[in-house]
Amino acid sequence: MDKPRVVLGVSGGIAAYKACELLRRFTESGHDVRVVPTASALHFVGAATWSALSGNPVATEVWADVHEVPHVRIGQRADLVVVAPATADMLAKAAHGLADDLLTNTLLTARCPVVFAPAMHTEMWEHPATQENVATLRRRGAVVVEPAVGRLTGVDTGKGRLPDPAEIFEVCRRVLARGVTGPDLDGRHVVVSAGGTREPLDPVRFLGNRSSGKQGYALARTAAARGARVTLVSANPGLPDPAGVDVVRVGTAVQLREAVLKAAADADAVVMAAAVADFRPAAYAAGKIKKKDGHEPDPIVLVRNPDILAEISADRARPGQVIVGFAAETDDVLANGRAKLARKGCDLLVVNEVGERKTFGSEENEALVLGADGSETPVPHGPKEALADTVWDLVVRRLG
Ligand code: CTP
């Protein structure tokens, strides 16, 4: 099979050096990459670097190898164009169809999916001109990854950092895998809860569970790749933030409930992938619980936590909001799953059979997705992202 052809556009921002790492990820995973830097990008990273790392020629203008008509061919042949970093100037040019160098020509001739990973100072990102350009590009079907928040060039911090190259790579991989179906969650706000809650007993101990958060993170990442605005309510997983996702960190079930309810107010879909503790200790000891010689430990009294999934399903924040729950079952998966779906009142329930190699901590998963309409969608053993994409397919169908 031919290698997928990727055009990596690099525009002139300090984050250009991070595109080297993105390029390496593409080439090492069997992609044929043609790097098209702008002239300003070469102030940050030279053509020799791009050429050596990609194994392909590098040009910034349309005047090199004119007999090959590169200003048209490179875009026409691409399976994916990703611009990282995309400066404010590049977004403006792309939105307005300017074509004054090789990269902007390529953007006009490409008919494949296009991903922009912007990086700039917060003021430039927030400027109405940039925001309108981003909206224009998204409306036309491009995936524009939200910049990360953090340290910017110089002493400034704020929104505008290029997301981690590994995360941009994941977005691209998902967009490539789905072909030119387009960002079918564009304009949608989705909320995903992930990880496992921790219910404190004293300042050093908690009751927790084994959820790694990987399935929830895969859901957030795939939704972002499909164009959604994503709020990820994350309970303790210690995973890197997915690109283009707003991450809200929580600890306990009560905190998770608060964050989910807040984010769900204007959400089109809510997916409860978090393993929420059903119970919490009735009392929290302000000082560390000590052992006492000659005494048995005091029993831990538990109280019920609110059932967030049941609550948001019963009292939908918006008409037509699609709500998805998860369930881990050890036996009688179908009957238990159906009963749980009815009890929780959600639209879809992803039922995992808990066992070796499955579910907790693993990179892979296998599940049965039950619909309140009686549908059953089996998802064969595979990456957690494949399950995530099936969930979003089913959500998109229900959003209409
Ligand atoms: N969930 C929730 N709030 C809780 C507990 C669970 O929102 N307090 C959500 C989880 O995020 C998940 C689904 O409900 O989407 C699965 O819940 P589970 O704990 O399996 O269901 P239970 O009703 O507790 O069933 P069981 O009888 O198996 O404990």
Side-chain angles (χ1 to χ4, degrees):
M1 253 178 36
D2 280 352
K3 289 180 173 181
R5 278 187 292 257
V6 174
V7 173
L8 172 59
V10 184
S11 52
I14 184 68
Y17 76 91
K18 293 189 191 167
C20 299
E21 159 85 15
L22 180 60
L23 169 56
R24 231 176 32 79
R25 282 181 186 266
F26 276 121
T27 52
E28 284 175 7
S29 55
H31 298 80
D32 179 26
V33 189
R34 180 81 194 235
V35 182
V36 185
T38 63
S40 330
L42 296 185
H43 286 295
F44 296 98
V45 179
T49 301
W50 301 122
S51 188
L53 288 178
S54 69
N56 276 318
V58 168
T60 60
E61 303 303 330
V62 295
W63 309 116
D65 301 316
V66 175
H67 62 287
E68 289 176 3
V69 204
H71 75 288
V72 178
R73 291 292 172 262
I74 294 174
Q76 279 178 336
R77 288 188 187 143
D79 297 308
L80 176 82
V81 178
V82 50
V83 185
T87 58
D89 179 64
M90 178 50 59
L91 295 173
K93 283 181 170 161
H96 293 278
L98 297 191
D100 59 358
D101 64 4
L102 190 54
L103 179 54
T104 44
N105 274 273
T106 299
L107 286 168
L108 281 187
T109 51
R111 292 294 174 269
C112 58
V114 179
V115 175
F116 291 92
M120 62 198 73
H121 261 69
T122 313
E123 292 82 353
M124 297 175 89
W125 172 252
E126 287 176 348
H127 194 284
T130 305
Q131 286 302 307
E132 278 174 34
N133 291 332
V134 168
T136 301
L137 292 167
R138 283 183 175 153
R139 203 173 53 246
R140 290 195 199 126
V143 173
V144 184
V145 177
E146 287 288 309
V149 176
R151 183 79 192 267
L152 305 170
T153 322
V155 295
D156 300 343
T157 54
K159 190 163 186 174
R161 261 173 84 86
L162 188 74
D164 195 66
E167 291 302 325
I168 300 172
F169 176 71
E170 284 304 322
V171 171
C172 294
R173 214 167 50 78
R174 298 313 302 158
V175 171
L176 257 174
R178 295 185 58 78
V180 276
T181 49
D184 54 2
L185 283 169
D186 185 34
R188 303 290 191 178
H189 176 209
V190 304
V191 179
V192 177
S193 71
T197 60
R198 291 180 178 181
E199 308 297 327
L201 275 164
D202 69 14
V204 295
R205 303 184 181 94
F206 59 82
L207 299 183
N209 60 68
R210 293 174 57 202
S211 174
S212 66
K214 286 179 183 167
Q215 185 61 62
Y217 273 56
L219 280 153
R221 187 183 292 128
T222 48
R226 292 169 73 153
R229 175 162 76 84
V230 184
T231 306
L232 174 61
V233 179
S234 171
N236 302 302
L239 298 170
D241 290 355
V245 166
D246 281 330
V247 183
V248 182
R249 280 172 229 289
V250 296
T252 65
V254 168
Q255 290 166 353
L256 190 130
R257 173 180 173 275
E258 205 172 299
V260 166
L261 291 186
K262 187 166 172 233
D266 70 344
D268 297 287
V270 183
V271 181
M272 286 292 296
V276 184
D278 287 320
F279 311 102
R280 67 177 181 275
Y284 172 73
K288 187 180 167 196
I289 302 168
K290 306 288 279 182
K291 14 181 209 307
K292 291 174 220 136
D293 286 343
H295 286 87
E296 288 301 309
D298 291 335
I300 295 169
V301 180
L302 300 175
V303 293
R304 284 290 291 266
N305 268 330
D307 189 326
I308 306 160
L309 178 59
E311 182 179 348
I312 58 172
S313 301
D315 189 13
R316 311 247 169 168
R318 287 175 75 169
Q321 187 177 65
V322 179
I323 296 179
V324 185
F326 271 70
E329 302 289 346
T330 48
D331 37 36
D332 219 350
V333 176
L334 190 58
N336 282 332
R338 276 275 161 228
K340 194 170 284 181
L341 176 67
R343 200 165 63 240
K344 301 267 187 179
C346 50
D347 302 293
L348 293 163
L349 188 74
V350 183
V351 190
N352 289 299
E353 195 176 347
V354 188
E356 294 276 314
R357 246 178 1 108
K358 292 175 196 164
T359 317
F360 295 113
S362 137
E363 299 299 334
E364 308 219 305
N365 212 342
E366 178 181 338
L368 181 66
V369 188
L370 302 177
D373 55 3
S375 64
E376 278 175 28
T377 312
V379 185
H381 188 78
K384 290 189 169 177
E385 284 177 354
L387 173 57
D389 267 324
T390 303
V391 169
W392 294 125
D393 288 344
L394 294 168
V395 167
V396 166
R397 216 171 293 161
R398 278 159 183 78
L399 287 171

